[in-house]
Amino acid sequence: MFVSNNLAVNEKGHLTFGGLDTVDLAVQYGTPLYLIDEDMVRDHCRQYKQSIEEYYDGKGLVCYASKALSCKEIYRIMKSEGCGVDTVSIGEIYTSLSAGFPARDMVFHGNNKTEEALSFALEHGVGRIVVDNLTELKKLNRLAGEAGKKPTILLRVKPGVDAHTHSFIRTGQIDSKFGFAIETGEALEAAVEAAKMEHINLVGAHCHIGSQIFDIDPFKLAAEVMLGYMKDVHEKTGVVLTELNLGGGFGIKYTEEDAPVPYADYMKQISDVVKQKAAEYGLPVPFILIEPGRSIVGPAGITVYTVGTRKEIPNIRNYVSVDGGMCDNPRYALYQSKYDAVLANKADQPKDDVVTIAGECCESGDLLGENVPLQHAESGDILAVLATGAYNYSMSSNYNRNMKPAIVAVSQGESRVIVKRETLDDLIRNDI
Ligand code: LLP
């Protein structure tokens, strides 16, 4: 009935999340409110870890892509689950360090890392830096020399795989701002350069072919291409790359239209390809890293709003406006991403209406969805948008000087605030 199995309807007809009444949570913590099911997040981490144990002899690391949801508590959870984390900015590194996350289990990404960020990563001993371009490679070699360090790096490679997803989040093809292209020889050249550098420890290659992908074939193809690249690097430089990072991108269920594959299936099929190709090329089976973001936190989150107004425009559409919108979830405005919604206080009633859910920003494009099936909404109802755990809070903004909602974690029937709701004072904190 619902897109995630932690959602149900209780005897009051209210939507429950992780066993707790969402209407009660809305009253207790206020709206708009992000809810995250910690138990489900942990379960997803374990599924990925288990799949590496089962199909890859444990020779790998699950690095949660924290751009999907970054706050101190999520890094604590990842630490306690024995996961690594993928970071993409000095801000994410800082947040994770502040939460006590060990730097050695961080991977640092980015197509335009600043000197400040690279130096910060070196100073704190970030475990792996994924180098995106030659300018960065040279800069890192210089900074590492100055700091007396020798960072472990992987090269970001474009395997040229089209993952059939939304073009905004497609990164595997040649026309991408990320990484070195294989086709042009650029990727091999980067390995030649890196292998010669005194202050660089080149250990592997990385690729990420896109996001919200349901098909396993593009991942298998990417793995095959990457092993071919590792073979070429070995032949050309003599360097045996011992690590392969295959990125993230595993799809989740936002609506009934989405049919994700079980997370374990990815490793099951990818590991076969990697092992087979390594044997064929006479290379050691590489240590593998994967970077799921959306699939770890996405299905584990919902956002709860209060309905303010209902506006019926005959023969056109019915608007239902809520006390949030593109500020807490810009994904419909950016990508026309579809979500399921339910009236939390009328969850036992049929969805006999079709509405446009609008936010409160001064912007016509501030929508959370169009043609959304919903129970009949009236002012004061509580509306839940489902599967919002990824790329909602992390992409939120203060546009129109709206305050960011709190995040409440639910675990074992208990709830607690993990990110406080912003206040008016927070909004003017940096204003002079
Ligand atoms: N690794 C790298 C290098 C990435 O660039 C990304 C996502 C991931 C891992 C995690 O991918 P995931 O497992 O979450 O699909 N804002 C967009 C998504 C952008 C994804 C960017 N990179 C959205 O809201 O759909």
Side-chain angles (χ1 to χ4, degrees):
M1 180 187 176
F2 293 113
V3 288
S4 290
N5 61 12
N6 62 343
L7 295 163
V9 180
N10 67 13
E11 63 294 343
K12 291 185 192 160
H14 292 178
L15 180 73
T16 62
F17 178 79
L20 296 183
D21 188 315
T22 56
V23 178
D24 291 348
L25 291 170
V27 171
Q28 185 179 350
Y29 297 105
T31 60
L33 181 69
Y34 296 112
L35 297 175
I36 188 93
D37 183 339
E38 177 182 345
D39 302 336
M40 186 183 266
V41 169
R42 290 182 182 277
D43 178 57
H44 292 159
C45 294
R46 288 170 199 177
Q47 285 184 39
Y48 278 119
K49 284 192 71 176
Q50 180 59 32
S51 71
I52 290 182
E53 289 295 328
E54 200 168 330
Y55 303 112
Y56 207 71
D57 309 317
K59 217 183 148 197
L61 184 65
V62 179
C63 290
Y64 162 67
S66 63
K67 73 205 77 180
L69 172 62
S70 177
C71 64
K72 285 168 76 174
E73 190 67 359
I74 204 83
Y75 294 108
R76 291 187 196 108
I77 293 171
M78 292 305 143
K79 182 180 172 190
S80 76
E81 290 300 325
C83 288
V85 296
D86 148 1
T87 60
V88 290
S89 66
I90 196 167
E92 285 186 358
I93 298 173
Y94 181 76
T95 308
S96 58
L97 287 172
S98 313
F101 193 89
R104 66 169 183 278
D105 292 332
M106 291 180 203
V107 177
F108 183 28
H109 281 286
N111 65 306
N112 191 23
K113 302 179 191 77
T114 60
E115 284 209 10
E116 184 195 11
L118 287 170
S119 297
F120 190 80
L122 287 171
E123 182 192 334
H124 292 279
V126 166
R128 292 172 179 88
I129 299 179
V130 178
V131 173
D132 179 271
N133 54 73
L134 277 182
T135 310
E136 180 188 330
L137 187 63
K138 289 176 192 155
K139 197 164 32 176
L140 183 62
N141 187 45
R142 173 173 55 79
L143 291 170
E146 285 164 13
K149 310 253 175 172
K150 190 164 182 174
T152 294
I153 72 150
L154 287 81
L155 295 172
R156 168 104 190 215
V157 171
K158 292 185 241 196
V161 175
D162 177 353
H164 303 294
T165 181
H166 197 296
S167 59
F168 284 6
I169 49 181
R170 198 186 281 168
T171 52
Q173 336 88 310
I174 308 180
D175 181 12
S176 163
K177 68 171 181 170
F178 300 103
F180 300 98
I182 291 190
E183 290 90 326
T184 58
E186 191 188 23
L188 199 52
E189 195 46 42
V192 171
E193 288 298 313
K196 286 193 293 208
M197 286 177 172
E198 201 184 332
H199 309 293
I200 293 288
N201 177 25
L202 172 65
V203 301
H206 169 280
C207 71
H208 170 77
I209 58 169
S211 204
Q212 185 63 355
I213 301 167
F214 296 114
D215 192 357
I216 299 185
D217 287 344
F219 290 102
K220 287 165 68 177
L221 182 58
E224 208 176 308
V225 172
M226 293 303 281
L227 262 293
Y229 171 70
M230 291 162 91
K231 173 181 78 110
D232 292 345
V233 169
H234 181 227
E235 282 171 6
K236 181 114 189 197
T237 66
V239 173
V240 176
L241 297 179
T242 54
E243 295 198 359
L244 173 61
N245 185 331
L246 289 171
F250 317 122
I252 66 162
K253 191 178 185 112
Y254 282 106
T255 70
E256 290 305 323
E257 288 169 19
D258 300 324
V261 290
Y263 297 168
D265 285 11
Y266 289 105
M267 270 318 293
K268 187 178 179 184
Q269 298 197 34
I270 291 164
S271 57
D272 280 348
V273 175
V274 176
K275 285 180 193 168
Q276 208 182 0
K277 286 287 157 191
E280 190 181 323
Y281 300 145
L283 296 170
V285 174
F287 185 83
I288 210 158
L289 298 107
I290 53 169
E291 300 174 329
R294 187 193 313 272
S295 53
I296 288 187
V297 290
I302 67 170
T303 312
V304 178
Y305 305 92
T306 301
V307 173
T309 57
R310 181 186 175 93
K311 195 166 280 179
E312 302 194 350
I313 308 180
N315 304 320
I316 299 186
R317 61 168 100 203
N318 295 335
Y319 281 102
V320 168
S321 294
V322 296
D323 54 354
M326 67 188 291
C327 286
D328 59 79
N329 181 2
R331 296 191 70 258
Y332 189 80
L334 275 174
Y335 322 115
Q336 296 75 55
S337 304
K338 287 189 181 163
Y339 286 95
D340 263 8
V342 52
L343 286 184
N345 56 320
K346 297 176 178 171
D348 58 343
Q349 296 180 20
K351 288 187 174 178
D352 49 13
D353 205 359
V354 175
V355 300
T356 292
I357 303 172
E360 59 181 358
C361 283
C362 284
E363 178 121 358
S364 304
D366 174 19
L367 305 176
L368 292 172
E370 290 170 282
N371 302 314
V372 183
L374 196 67
Q375 294 85 358
H376 186 83
E378 292 156 303
S379 187
D381 283 339
I382 301 296
L383 179 120
V385 177
L386 312 183
T388 59
Y391 304 112
N392 273 229
Y393 173 69
S394 63
M395 293 176 74
S396 63
S397 77
N398 293 117
Y399 183 45
N400 286 185
R401 288 255 142 161
N402 280 312
M403 291 163 278
K404 294 186 184 176
I407 307 181
V408 164
V410 166
S411 173
Q412 311 283 321
E414 303 281 336
S415 64
R416 67 185 194 284
V417 174
I418 61 167
V419 175
K420 289 191 274 186
R421 184 178 298 285
E422 280 187 344
T423 63
L424 290 169
D425 282 335
D426 290 328
L427 292 177
I428 57 164
R429 173 167 300 144
N430 296 323
D431 292 8
I432 307 295

